[in-house]
Amino acid sequence: MASGPAGGRGGYGGGGGGGYNETPTPTATATVTTTPTVTPTATPSPDTTAPKCTTKPVRKQTSRTIRKRGLKLTVRCDEAARHLTQVFVNRATARKLGIKRKAEKRVLVGKRATLAKANVTHKITVKLNHKAKRGIRRMRQRHVRKLKLTIATSARDAANNIRRSETTKSFKR
């Protein structure tokens, strides 16, 4: 007897045969695939309205109390927002009080950033910088009767909508 792969003897496994290899013929099987159906969902429209905020100085403040304690303000926004308050002195007052002697435009004397909740009134205090405090102390000797401050605010909501506003208030000595 012959040994080898075709004969199936001599330790080569397999059995069978008449000296040829049997290969299975491929049969076609049908597979069913289901495609998922997409149901349209209503996407919320993006927020395009900027927050409305009101910023008012607390009553009965003078330049002296502002110098000692800071400018007290009440802030209220109609939606949650990051509220930035900046306080400026105009160019002429900055030169006259020695806050910035060569001022070309209005001078920033204090700022404060707060996170305002929706429909909640917040009381904030904007502290003035050292030069502004020193300038306010000089008001009497420089013959300045009123301190005119510009309060500039900007409110930014979660969708990056920004609303800016500005008011000017005078405070007596």
Side-chain angles (χ1 to χ4, degrees):
M1 267 229 118
S3 66
R9 296 183 192 194
Y12 280 141
Y20 62 92
N21 286 336
E22 292 182 28
T23 58
T25 55
T27 58
T29 57
T31 58
V32 177
T33 59
T34 59
T35 57
T37 58
V38 178
T39 57
T41 57
T43 58
S45 61
D47 181 18
T48 57
T49 59
K52 294 176 187 158
C53 293
T54 58
T55 305
K56 295 178 184 175
V58 174
R59 296 175 57 90
K60 296 189 178 181
Q61 293 185 82
T62 63
S63 61
R64 176 182 247 177
T65 59
I66 292 171
R67 178 174 60 90
K68 289 183 177 179
R69 299 185 195 118
L71 179 64
K72 294 185 185 303
L73 303 166
T74 57
V75 176
R76 184 178 178 92
C77 294
D78 68 339
E79 62 179 297
R82 181 180 182 272
H83 190 269
L84 178 67
T85 305
Q86 295 178 319
V87 179
F88 294 96
V89 168
N90 65 8
R91 174 181 169 260
T93 307
R95 286 179 169 203
K96 193 178 272 191
L97 294 179
I99 296 171
K100 189 171 182 182
R101 294 188 192 280
K102 294 183 179 179
E104 295 295 323
K105 54 185 181 177
R106 66 185 188 177
V107 178
L108 179 70
V109 293
K111 67 179 175 177
R112 170 83 188 260
T114 55
L115 294 174
K117 295 178 183 175
N119 297 317
V120 176
T121 301
H122 298 277
K123 290 188 178 185
I124 65 169
T125 303
V126 180
K127 300 285 187 177
L128 301 182
N129 61 27
H130 178 71
K131 287 186 175 186
K133 288 180 183 179
R134 193 175 68 210
I136 292 171
R137 200 178 325 128
R138 296 180 184 145
M139 280 179 68
R140 176 166 271 143
Q141 71 188 39
R142 301 282 171 100
H143 307 291
V144 177
R145 288 183 178 263
K146 290 186 178 180
L147 176 67
K148 191 188 256 186
L149 296 177
T150 301
I151 303 162
T153 62
S154 67
R156 177 189 306 249
D157 65 0
N160 271 346
N161 299 315
I162 301 173
R163 183 172 306 229
R164 294 179 174 91
S165 65
E166 208 171 275
T167 59
T168 303
K169 284 292 211 176
S170 293
F171 301 95
K172 9 182 216 184
R173 206 169 31 197

